[in-house]
Amino acid sequence: MPKFVLLWTDAAIWLLAAGGVAYVAMVARRPLMAYNWRKVFRDPAALSSAIVLIACLGVTLLDSVHYRPLLPPAPGVKDAAPAYDARTRSLLDAVLADLVASRESTYSRPLSYLGFTKESQLVGEQVVRVAPRLEFGGAHLKQPEAEWAGDLAWRGAVGLLLGTLGGLAACAMLVAAVARGTARSWGATLGGVVAGEGEIPWRAACLTLLVMGVVAGPATALSGPYHLLGTDLTGNDVLYQSLKSIRTAFVIGALATVATLPLAVVLGIMAGYYRGWVDEVIQYVYTVLSSVPNVLLIAACVLMVQVYLDQHPEMFETGAERSDLKLFLLCAVLGLTGWAGLCRLLRGETLKMRELDYVQAAQAFGVGHGRIMLRHVFPNVAHLMLIVTVLEFSALILYEAVLSYVGVGVDPSMNSFGGMINLARNEMSRDPVVWWPFAAAFTFMVARVLAANLFADGVRDAFDPRSRAFRPRISRRKPKAEPMAEEAAHA
């Protein structure tokens, strides 16, 4: 049996997932909060983005269950203590075992059966430079020059068919769930979804599921026999690295955002409620913090963490534990240095709220300050926390890419979009250009950040009335009735 390893970020991610489930259960019991969230999902872009983010969350959870495989006993040794592999793997690694095992010697183009770097070979009596056959990519082809194009077309068509069927099955399950919730027949619900009827745009959700199936089907069919997105300098599959980078981006976006909340909420509410010298001290602190360039401050903190980890190697059994602790501390550093904006926003909102009648009445009746802030002020600024949290999520994902690009981000042994872009920096200057690692990291990161931004827009529009008030709207005026029609109507 393998030895399960609980990393710092694994525990944090699963705690956040449990907290999310508890929050969903709480929303279901509170009609007002449920109504606000229904307004979020009335936006087709927000609903589609939520589906994409849920898929990314599924990949993150699969990659957050780590274990060390049990090694076979040494020959001739009896009753030996169990020994485990030094490499720490995850459930995602087990699912993508074919991609992990298909490591080539160096670069290879997407869907190619030949290496990118030419080698010298003796052909007859002459030494020529030819591209060697890959060890795993297209290894099943006996005559690759004649079979390669047909094999790609066949596998792509089969994958497209299976992916389309999978997408349609997911849509059918969604329609069945909607029909059960609305107490309508499946056929009537399907007709309403196709026509775009109803409060929630389920048609957009079905189209998103179908597109995801159409993309995932051929990708799954081709990524086994071939390297769908090519390989990097060390021969690792680029698709595998991109999928592994999703967890790193999600961890940084989620944990760093949550890490900003305690300081921002407590200090912001205290500054706005107490005013006076408390307000002045807190303003001084976050003004000084905001005046320091973030990149320099974060780089200094990360370098101190790096020195500490290098001086205490006995704390870790594997390299994965060391790189994971560095990632966890990076999230803490990002949270401790990024709370000033939310704190300033909550201070201004609390300054207005403390002058309202119900707060003044609570003070007149002798209610304690802590109870007033907890029961009357905090619930009325919680929507600002939610909006800022969702908006900062995508910004922190981009921040990780910048930090890894300058060399102060996550550990080099951990897959991340910033690390892939950093390694592709030298590859883009080659001739011919090795473009596929950069293109893969850029595409995955843009898709993730775009989904987060669209979902954040929906949350902001639903929970912040002012953003809805200033949104441009299309006026739909009814055509004027003709005079004869108006006279007939009055008659």
Side-chain angles (χ1 to χ4, degrees), residues 269-270 273-274 350 354 359 362-364 366-378:
I269 294 178
M270 287 179 60
Y273 183 81
Y274 287 112
T350 307
R354 74 181 306 275
V359 177
Q363 293 176 350
V367 181
H369 297 303
R371 186 176 180 84
I372 292 175
M373 288 187 287
L374 183 63
R375 296 293 301 271
H376 298 292
V377 177
F378 175 76

Side-chain angles (χ1 to χ4, degrees), residues 46-342:
L47 180 59
S48 300
S49 301
I51 295 175
V52 175
L53 292 176
I54 290 174
C56 294
L57 177 61
V59 174
T60 300
L61 294 178
L62 275 179
D63 205 15
S64 297
V65 179
H66 289 88
Y67 64 94
R68 294 170 59 186
L70 180 65
L71 296 176
V77 179
K78 296 182 179 180
D79 300 330
Y84 299 95
D85 195 343
R87 295 173 296 176
T88 303
R89 302 177 182 178
S90 66
L91 291 183
L92 183 64
D93 295 330
V95 174
L96 304 176
D98 293 339
L99 299 183
V100 177
S102 61
R103 182 174 179 177
E104 307 291 350
S105 59
T106 184
Y107 295 114
S108 65
R109 290 185 177 90
L111 298 175
S112 178
Y113 59 90
L114 296 175
F116 181 75
T117 304
K118 293 184 179 181
E119 299 178 355
S120 299
Q121 294 185 1
L122 183 63
V123 179
E125 298 180 354
Q126 295 182 349
V127 177
V128 296
R129 301 279 293 176
V130 296
R133 281 287 304 272
L134 296 177
E135 183 179 357
F136 298 98
H140 61 285
L141 302 176
K142 296 181 180 179
Q143 297 179 353
E145 293 83 0
E147 300 175 358
W148 176 71
D151 186 66
L152 284 182
W154 168 252
R155 292 180 183 274
V158 173
L160 180 62
L161 178 61
L162 295 178
T164 304
L165 293 177
L168 292 175
C171 294
M173 294 173 61
L174 178 61
V175 172
V178 174
R180 183 180 303 175
T182 56
R184 298 173 61 189
S185 65
W186 191 87
T189 305
L190 177 62
V193 169
V194 173
E197 300 174 354
E199 181 185 13
I200 307 298
W202 297 115
R203 181 173 60 181
C206 290
L207 289 176
T208 304
L209 293 174
L210 185 59
V211 170
M212 292 174 64
V214 168
V215 173
T220 304
L222 294 171
S223 60
Y226 299 94
H227 298 288
L228 180 66
L229 300 179
T231 57
D232 63 356
L233 176 62
T234 57
N236 292 311
D237 192 88
V238 174
L239 177 61
Y240 170 76
Q241 294 182 0
S242 301
L243 293 175
K244 292 283 287 185
S245 299
I246 291 177
R247 177 185 183 271
T248 305
F250 201 96
V251 166
I252 290 180
L255 297 190
T257 304
V258 172
T260 62
L261 294 180
L263 283 174
V265 173
V266 173
L267 296 181
I269 294 178
M270 287 179 60
Y273 183 81
Y274 287 112
R275 298 188 299 185
W277 67 269
V278 176
D279 185 19
E280 292 179 358
V281 170
I282 294 175
Q283 282 192 76
Y284 180 80
V285 171
Y286 70 63
T287 301
V288 172
L289 183 63
S290 300
S291 63
V292 180
N294 283 339
V295 175
L296 296 180
L297 183 61
I298 294 171
C301 296
V302 170
L303 290 176
M304 288 190 293
V305 169
Q306 181 71 36
V307 171
Y308 177 80
L309 296 179
D310 291 340
Q311 293 179 350
H312 297 82
E314 70 279 358
M315 296 173 56
F316 316 103
E317 294 184 5
T318 61
E321 296 179 5
R322 179 184 180 278
S323 60
D324 184 80
L325 180 58
K326 183 180 178 182
L327 175 63
F328 184 81
L329 294 177
L330 175 63
C331 296
V333 168
L334 290 173
L336 293 176
T337 57
W339 56 271
L342 179 58

Side-chain angles (χ1 to χ4, degrees), residues 13-27 57:
I13 285 296
W14 284 104
L15 285 176
L16 287 179
V21 173
Y23 179 75
V24 171
M26 181 183 68
V27 170
L57 177 61

